Amino acid sequence: MLKPHYPITTERLHLRPFTPDDLDAVHAYESRPDVTRYLYWDVRDRDTSREFLAKKATRTAIHEEGDALDLAITLRHDGSLIGSALLIWTSETHRQGEIGYILHPDHHGHGYAPEAAREMLRLGFADLGLHRITGRLDARNTASARVLEKLHMRHEATLIHNEYVKGEWASETVYAILDTEWTP
């Protein structure tokens, strides 16, 4: 079980549960085609963002396989919400998880994604006791691949045209890291 004390603080960020007050900031990036291009879902209207925000707000602890932490990434210096970070417990038997992240494009290129994702790895390995954590992405998303490489995750596979997403075949790239390879 994993129930972090919030906010989780990194050098420049706070990771915290989402609240209904986050709707404007969340919709600001969920409504952008450049953000959703490589995701499973398309741009969201305000009502759809509100609906998914309500679900995100409940994902604050991991009790069993399939549960996730879905946390708001905010800047420490002013509290601005700039994206989300995710940790999913994918297998209890095999002690595996998965991380993910989304940032508003205005905040790309500052190292915030690796900083937030590094904390999700720490939560998975140190607090949840996972053995292996993956990051899966559309193979065309080279910027996200660079984030995973900065975390010293290894490229394990590219699955060619393994998913039909948004009306086209997409290839998926899988990165992973083991608890024995991870360094805090």
Side-chain angles (χ1 to χ4, degrees):
M1 185 173 113
L2 173 60
K3 187 171 175 137
H5 177 72
Y6 296 111
I8 298 166
T9 302
T10 68
E11 182 181 341
R12 302 174 297 161
L13 305 171
H14 280 146
L15 306 178
R16 61 159 176 81
F18 283 97
T19 72
D21 292 337
D22 295 327
L23 179 59
D24 289 339
V26 169
H27 186 254
Y29 63 82
E30 288 188 347
S31 62
R32 294 178 59 130
D34 56 340
V35 170
T36 64
R37 177 178 180 197
Y38 299 124
L39 300 175
Y40 290 110
W41 41 273
D42 222 334
V43 295
R44 292 180 172 162
D45 61 28
R46 190 172 179 80
D47 289 338
T48 305
S49 286
R50 180 182 291 109
E51 176 185 332
F52 280 92
L53 178 59
K55 291 177 185 177
K56 289 174 187 280
T58 67
R59 299 174 86 180
T60 62
I62 294 178
H63 300 285
E64 60 189 10
E65 178 180 311
D67 285 351
L69 296 179
D70 199 346
L71 304 177
I73 302 171
T74 64
L75 297 175
R76 281 180 63 180
H77 73 274
D78 67 5
S80 299
L81 191 150
I82 62 169
S84 65
L86 180 71
L87 172 66
I88 306 168
W89 189 9
T90 58
S91 174
E92 180 177 6
T93 301
H94 304 292
R95 294 178 37 220
Q96 294 193 32
E98 180 180 338
I99 60 168
Y101 40 84
I102 300 172
L103 280 186
H104 190 291
D106 290 351
H107 300 282
H108 287 178
H110 301 287
Y112 296 135
E115 187 172 334
R118 189 173 297 109
E119 187 60 21
M120 301 314 272
L121 288 176
R122 187 195 67 74
L123 290 167
F125 288 132
D127 294 354
L128 192 56
L130 297 178
H131 169 67
R132 182 174 188 271
I133 298 177
T134 62
R136 300 179 309 119
L137 57 140
D138 186 301
R140 298 169 294 183
N141 193 345
T142 57
S144 188
R146 283 192 303 274
V147 169
L148 298 175
E149 290 163 1
K150 287 178 184 177
L151 298 171
H152 305 289
M153 296 179 79
R154 135 187 84 264
H155 175 251
E156 290 194 335
T158 298
L159 309 171
I160 306 300
H161 287 191
N162 72 313
E163 297 178 311
Y164 196 71
V165 180
K166 299 179 184 174
E168 65 180 335
W169 286 105
S171 297
E172 177 184 26
T173 299
V174 179
Y175 282 79
I177 189 169
L178 301 176
D179 55 351
T180 56
E181 300 166 325
W182 172 73
T183 53

